[in-house]
Amino acid sequence: MPLPLADEITPGDSLADKLLQSLRQSRLALEPGDILVIKHKIVSKSEGRIVDLATITPSADSITWAKKYNLDARVIELALHESRAVIRQKNGVLITETHHGFICANSGVDVSNVDGGRHALLLPTDPDHSARKLHRELKQHTGLVIPVLITDTFGRPWREGLVDFCIGIAGMKALRDDRGRRDPHGYTLQASLEAVADELACAAGLVCGKLNRTPACIIRGFPYEPARSRARDLLRPAANDLFR
């Protein structure tokens, strides 16, 4: 179920209050078993993760790279600042590893859906902490234990197009482990570790869209496993990564 927001989120806003207000206006209510999925942009806005690009002085390397591909050198400088490693830099695309461990373009630095290009939005400092905070506040307001997923849109190796990924989680397992179980033919599963948090993020992305002013939705009826989880559980250790 989509949860549109009529107003822009500003630093210091309570996301719990805004989302519960949206539910009331839509004549909806949370129910036991629901999962809340929210896009990271409203989390970042509420936490003040907004940077005035006029305050950024790009380095000579950022300026050279940006000029070559007609990019904004200030955004490149921010992306490098928000990264702990540059994974690939080719044909105008900058793929980095963020301080969280996410592999994505420009360290998740984004200028879309902000204010027309004057400011850039950074990822939340600790998306898991942000998810846990909202998880607690929803319980305080409603008495319900509602898992929270925070998502962002990333590209994927070998595939065109963008999909939503889970970058912060609270209240449910991020992975479903079917290894060791037998399929209907009696074969013991060896590699069936399902990224359910990412699958739910993708489903929510279809509901929310990109231009609908709908930064959140409710998933109802999915049999999740309650747990204290982390988005880091979804990250493959570098030692096991065949593509770095």
Side-chain angles (χ1 to χ4, degrees):
M1 297 182 295
L3 290 181
L5 292 183
D7 302 321
E8 285 288 337
I9 298 296
T10 58
D13 281 347
S14 166
L15 290 183
D17 289 346
K18 292 287 187 179
L19 292 167
L20 291 171
Q21 180 184 19
S22 175
L23 282 164
R24 290 191 296 270
Q25 290 173 343
S26 301
R27 297 184 179 180
L28 298 172
L30 292 171
E31 296 182 4
D34 285 352
I35 301 169
L36 173 66
V37 184
I38 63 172
K39 292 182 175 292
H40 93 273
K41 286 186 177 180
I42 63 171
V43 178
S44 293
K45 288 178 179 180
S46 72
E47 295 178 355
R49 295 283 286 164
I50 304 171
V51 177
D52 184 347
L53 290 174
T55 66
I56 302 300
T57 302
S59 67
D61 287 343
S62 294
I63 292 172
T64 299
W65 173 259
K67 281 184 176 179
K68 186 176 181 179
Y69 296 104
N70 194 29
L71 302 172
D72 189 329
R74 300 169 301 177
V75 174
I76 301 301
E77 188 67 24
L78 270 178
L80 293 174
H81 182 269
E82 291 295 307
S83 73
R84 67 185 183 195
V86 174
I87 306 301
R88 294 287 186 276
Q89 191 171 353
K90 184 177 180 181
N91 298 332
V93 179
L94 180 65
I95 303 298
T96 62
E97 181 178 8
T98 72
H99 298 298
H100 322 80
F102 307 137
I103 307 296
C104 58
N106 293 332
S107 303
V109 176
D110 201 352
V111 295
S112 65
N113 288 314
V114 183
D115 60 1
R118 297 188 304 277
H119 290 76
L121 201 63
L122 311 181
L123 294 178
T125 302
D126 184 345
D128 284 332
H129 174 79
S130 303
R132 290 193 296 268
K133 179 175 181 290
L134 183 53
H135 179 67
R136 289 194 304 269
E137 290 174 350
L138 289 174
K139 184 177 181 180
Q140 290 169 358
H141 283 286
T142 68
L144 298 174
V145 178
I146 304 295
V148 174
L149 306 182
I150 298 173
T151 70
D152 192 13
T153 304
F154 294 165
R156 304 155 296 158
W158 324 126
R159 307 284 288 187
E160 289 289 357
L162 304 171
V163 296
D164 283 28
F165 286 79
C166 175
I167 66 168
I169 187 169
M172 63 171 282
K173 283 189 176 181
L175 296 159
R176 181 165 61 205
D177 193 351
D178 288 329
R179 292 172 297 185
R181 300 182 65 185
R182 293 183 181 275
D183 70 11
H185 301 281
Y187 176 78
T188 300
L189 301 178
Q190 304 294 322
S192 296
L193 188 62
E194 191 170 2
V196 293
D198 283 341
E199 292 175 319
L200 292 171
C202 287
L206 292 174
V207 174
C208 293
K210 303 301 180 189
L211 303 173
N212 301 332
R213 299 183 68 89
T214 304
C217 75
I218 299 296
I219 293 177
R220 182 165 292 170
F222 179 80
Y224 68 86
E225 295 182 67
R228 183 179 177 86
S229 194
R230 309 175 304 167
R232 182 171 294 277
D233 298 338
L234 295 158
L235 303 181
R236 178 165 290 158
N240 299 335
D241 193 334
L242 302 180
F243 300 100
R244 293 206 204 185

